[in-house]
Amino acid sequence: MTKKMEKKYIPLANYFDVALQQEITLSFSELENIMGQALPNAAYLNRSWWKKTKPPLSHYLSWTNAGYYVIDIKLGTSVTFSRTQIKTTSNISKNDENQSAYIIRAIEASDARSFIHLQEDMFQQTDFMYNMKDELDLTVQQLRKDLVYWKQLKNRTILLCILNGIFAGYAVIHGYKHSKAKHVASVHLAVKEEHQRQGIGSELMKAVERWSKQRDITRLEVSVMEHNESALNLFKKIGFQQEGIRQNAIKLNDTYINEHSLSKIL
């Protein structure tokens, strides 16, 4: 009997489960981004690792359970998967088949460098970030140290959205330490410009709410600059209520900007 899939391959299984494409090519780095883990050496060295579909191995279940199989392997470079048959659980149009698939998962220590690069990309695209680019002094070592501490607290994390193996956005959940406020967490949401208006922000917030409820967090708080209309519209659409406006809270390019405070009770 086939043993259960290893935990490290569950995010990969989740990715293939939502994929609609008939054929998907993923680089090794994209596969590792989806997993949040490094592939084993055998995956880099042996084509047979990708082709085997027999116990005691179980990694192949992450794609075969979703109806995919491997059709091409470029060792150390990329792997191409093809769906054995068209999914019949829903009506899938040709446009659907061309859509990208994404998963949302909690950050792992191995994601630290990629997450920092993602933040650096955000600084190039928007002025809605609260730090200036030269103020971002987070290092890979410090972030990994923070993640260990957050796991001890159990009410802080970063949820990553990975679109076809590419980091597309994230949500930082920052729970409070003091006992009287452990039910409260602040949230910071960010989606790369090229991946906006695809529902990623909404899906990240749904994941935030699920994660929070599992940890007895019942109040979420966000702060949004007044000119960030898309973010304000999103939060209000998903049930956040405005609680106040901080006048001239932000100074950007010698211009003062108001900041909106919103919250949602779960």
Side-chain angles (χ1 to χ4, degrees):
M1 185 173 70
T2 303
K3 67 179 182 179
K4 291 183 179 180
M5 190 190 315
E6 291 179 63
K7 183 178 179 180
K8 67 186 291 184
Y9 297 110
I10 291 177
L12 193 58
N14 292 339
Y15 169 81
F16 281 107
D17 191 51
V18 299
L20 297 175
Q21 303 97 308
Q22 181 65 30
E23 188 172 297
I24 304 171
T25 298
L26 296 169
S27 69
F28 275 52
S29 62
E30 288 169 346
L31 286 161
E32 291 177 336
N33 284 345
I34 293 170
M35 293 169 52
Q37 306 279 344
L39 288 163
N41 288 337
Y44 279 86
L45 299 174
N46 303 317
R47 294 177 183 274
S48 60
W49 188 89
W50 296 98
K51 290 291 189 178
K52 284 183 178 178
T53 55
K54 295 181 179 180
L57 299 177
S58 64
H59 60 277
Y60 62 88
L61 294 173
S62 58
W63 55 83
T64 59
N65 280 353
Y68 283 89
Y69 64 101
V70 175
I71 61 171
D72 186 54
I73 308 155
K74 294 180 174 60
L75 286 178
T77 302
S78 66
V79 181
T80 299
F81 304 84
S82 180
R83 198 164 58 209
T84 54
Q85 60 184 8
I86 299 296
K87 291 183 179 179
T88 58
T89 54
S90 61
N91 294 323
I92 300 175
S93 68
K94 290 183 178 180
N95 288 335
D96 289 329
E97 290 184 20
N98 293 327
Q99 287 181 356
S100 298
Y102 60 81
I103 65 164
I104 295 172
R105 62 167 175 80
I107 193 171
E108 300 286 351
S110 58
D111 297 315
R113 191 177 305 278
S114 295
F115 176 73
I116 291 173
H117 290 161
L118 176 60
Q119 282 200 313
E120 290 172 347
D121 289 342
M122 296 290 191
F123 280 114
Q124 302 292 332
Q125 296 181 345
T126 180
D127 59 6
F128 297 142
M129 306 288 283
Y130 275 80
N131 295 98
M132 300 299 289
K133 183 178 180 180
D134 57 1
E135 296 173 344
L136 187 65
D137 56 359
L138 188 64
T139 64
V140 172
Q141 183 179 9
Q142 182 60 51
L143 178 54
R144 288 175 176 169
K145 183 177 178 181
D146 288 344
L147 292 176
V148 172
Y149 177 56
W150 291 1
K151 285 188 176 182
Q152 294 173 353
L153 291 178
K154 298 182 180 180
N155 65 348
R156 297 182 187 178
T157 194
I158 300 171
L159 298 181
L160 299 170
C161 178
I162 301 146
L163 180 74
N164 279 356
I166 303 298
F167 289 84
Y170 64 89
V172 178
I173 308 172
H174 194 277
Y176 298 139
K177 291 190 297 183
H178 301 297
S179 58
K180 292 182 179 180
K182 281 190 174 180
H183 65 291
V184 183
S186 62
V187 181
H188 178 69
L189 178 71
V191 178
K192 291 185 72 173
E193 185 176 354
E194 60 266 34
H195 303 308
Q196 292 177 7
R197 292 174 292 280
Q198 298 177 24
I200 290 175
S202 296
E203 291 303 316
L204 273 167
M205 289 307 301
K206 289 179 184 177
V208 166
E209 293 189 16
R210 288 193 298 269
W211 189 93
S212 300
K213 288 177 180 178
Q214 292 170 358
R215 288 153 183 83
D216 296 323
I217 295 172
T218 59
R219 174 183 165 90
L220 299 178
E221 300 175 341
V222 296
S223 297
V224 183
M225 297 182 195
E226 189 172 58
H227 65 306
N228 191 352
E229 294 181 2
S230 60
L232 285 171
N233 290 336
L234 169 62
F235 288 121
K236 290 177 180 178
K237 180 180 179 180
I238 61 176
F240 277 75
Q241 302 294 319
Q242 183 162 314
E243 294 189 332
I245 298 176
R246 297 177 63 222
Q247 301 290 332
N248 293 356
I250 305 297
K251 187 177 182 180
L252 181 64
N253 299 326
D254 295 324
T255 299
Y256 290 101
I257 299 172
N258 297 338
E259 180 185 62
H260 291 235
S261 299
L262 302 95
S263 71
K264 182 175 182 178
I265 306 300
L266 301 180

